[in-house]
């Protein structure tokens, strides 16, 4: 808008200078003053037309630029969002493949405890299990706590239904067959559960 006002002021200054020059030439009494006056007026009209054309062209180009800049900005934001999501879930396939190994560790620890294995052996396996689980936890892995919770299809997969052992357990998870896991708050494996009815 400021440029438009500035151009208008410059055009007025040019027009004022042309009028002053014509007045000086009229005072001299030249026989060609009528011709000069007509030429000056037609020149002013040509300048005004050119100025209007340039202003329309400028407005069109400015509008195109703003639209293009807006489109590019939206593209950049979308690309950054997709990149962040990709970085967060880049290791998802590998972690999903490692979940059965984690399950095996838990089964082994339970079997050691059930069969009164050597305490040093249990401590060694627990140490390896904890290191393994902490590495996965640092990558964003979290177990889904399901036992005793209300059945939720967003996190649980019902394997079967059994009569609830008590009234307060109706509609709740009675047993967990296989642990479920979240990776960066996204379910990568649903918890396989038994629901009380």
């Amino acid at each position: 808008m400021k440029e438009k006002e500035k151009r208008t002021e410059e055009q007025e200054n040019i027009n004022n200078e042309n009028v002053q020059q014509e007045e000086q030439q009229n005072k001299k009494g030249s026989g060609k003053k009528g011709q000069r006056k007509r030429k000056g007026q037609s020149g002013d009209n040509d300048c005004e037309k050119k100025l209007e054309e340039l202003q329309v062209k400028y407005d069109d180009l400015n509008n195109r630029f703003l639209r293009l800049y807006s489109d590019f900005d939206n593209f950049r934001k979308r690309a950054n969002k997709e990149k962040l999501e990709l970085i967060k879930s880049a290791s998802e396939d590998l972690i999903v493949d490692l979940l059965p190994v984690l399950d095996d560790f838990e089964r082994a620890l339970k079997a050691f405890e059930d069969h009164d294995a050597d305490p040093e052996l249990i401590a060694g396996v627990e140490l390896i299990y904890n290191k393994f689980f902490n590495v996965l936890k640092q990558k964003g892995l979290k177990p889904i706590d399901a036992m005793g919770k209300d059945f939720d299809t967003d996190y649980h997969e019902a394997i079967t239904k059994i009569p609830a052992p008590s009234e307060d357990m109706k509609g709740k998870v009675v047993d967990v067959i296989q642990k479920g896991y979240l990776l960066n708050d996204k379910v990568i494996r649903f918890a396989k559960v038994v629901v009380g009815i």
Side-chain angles (χ1 to χ4, degrees), residues 35-71:
Q35 293 174 355
R36 287 184 182 164
K37 192 172 186 179
R38 280 186 233 121
K39 284 183 183 177
Q41 286 175 348
S42 68
D44 287 345
N45 288 339
D46 289 343
C47 286
E48 286 177 12
K49 285 181 182 177
K50 283 184 180 181
L51 183 64
E52 287 175 13
E53 288 174 8
L54 289 174
Q55 186 63 40
V56 168
K57 191 173 183 179
Y58 167 79
D59 290 341
D60 182 49
L61 290 173
N62 191 37
N63 189 24
R64 286 183 187 178
F65 169 75
L66 290 175
R67 288 177 190 271
L68 185 63
Y69 179 79
S70 177
D71 287 344

Side-chain angles (χ1 to χ4, degrees), residues 10-181:
E10 290 175 1
Q11 185 64 33
E12 288 175 2
N13 290 339
I14 292 170
N15 287 343
N16 288 338
E17 289 175 7
N18 287 341
V19 169
Q20 288 174 357
Q21 287 176 355
E22 286 176 13
E23 287 176 359
Q24 288 175 358
Q25 289 173 358
N26 287 340
K27 287 179 184 178
K28 289 180 183 178
S30 170
K32 299 178 181 177
K33 74 177 179 184
Q35 293 174 355
R36 287 184 182 164
K37 192 172 186 179
R38 280 186 233 121
K39 284 183 183 177
Q41 286 175 348
S42 68
D44 287 345
N45 288 339
D46 289 343
C47 286
E48 286 177 12
K49 285 181 182 177
K50 283 184 180 181
L51 183 64
E52 287 175 13
E53 288 174 8
L54 289 174
Q55 186 63 40
V56 168
K57 191 173 183 179
Y58 167 79
D59 290 341
D60 182 49
L61 290 173
N62 191 37
N63 189 24
R64 286 183 187 178
F65 169 75
L66 290 175
R67 288 177 190 271
L68 185 63
Y69 179 79
S70 177
D71 287 344
F72 177 73
D73 194 42
N74 290 338
F75 166 76
R76 186 177 50 81
K77 288 177 184 176
R78 187 173 53 250
N80 285 340
K81 184 179 176 184
E82 288 172 358
K83 187 177 179 182
L84 284 173
E85 288 175 3
L86 184 64
I87 289 169
K88 279 186 175 179
S89 64
S91 57
E92 181 178 341
D93 290 339
L94 177 64
I95 291 176
V96 168
D97 290 342
L98 290 174
L99 290 179
V101 178
L102 196 63
D103 294 338
D104 290 343
F105 264 114
E106 290 171 355
R107 280 194 219 73
L109 287 171
K110 189 174 180 190
F112 286 154
E113 289 172 4
D114 291 346
H115 292 93
D116 295 325
D118 183 24
E120 291 178 9
L121 177 66
I122 294 173
V125 173
E126 280 180 348
L127 181 67
I128 296 168
Y129 168 76
N130 288 333
K131 281 185 180 179
F132 182 56
F133 183 72
N134 286 334
V135 168
L136 295 176
K137 195 174 181 181
Q138 288 173 356
K139 301 297 180 189
L141 185 73
K142 285 190 262 182
I144 296 173
D145 184 27
M147 191 65 179
K149 305 281 184 182
D150 287 331
F151 178 72
D152 185 354
T153 55
D154 291 337
Y155 300 103
H156 308 137
E157 180 182 338
I159 300 298
T160 186
K161 294 179 182 179
I162 61 168
S166 62
E167 283 294 317
D168 61 326
M169 289 300 286
K170 284 189 176 182
K172 295 190 177 191
V173 175
V174 178
D175 191 18
V176 177
I177 306 298
Q178 187 180 47
K179 261 189 182 177
Y181 289 95

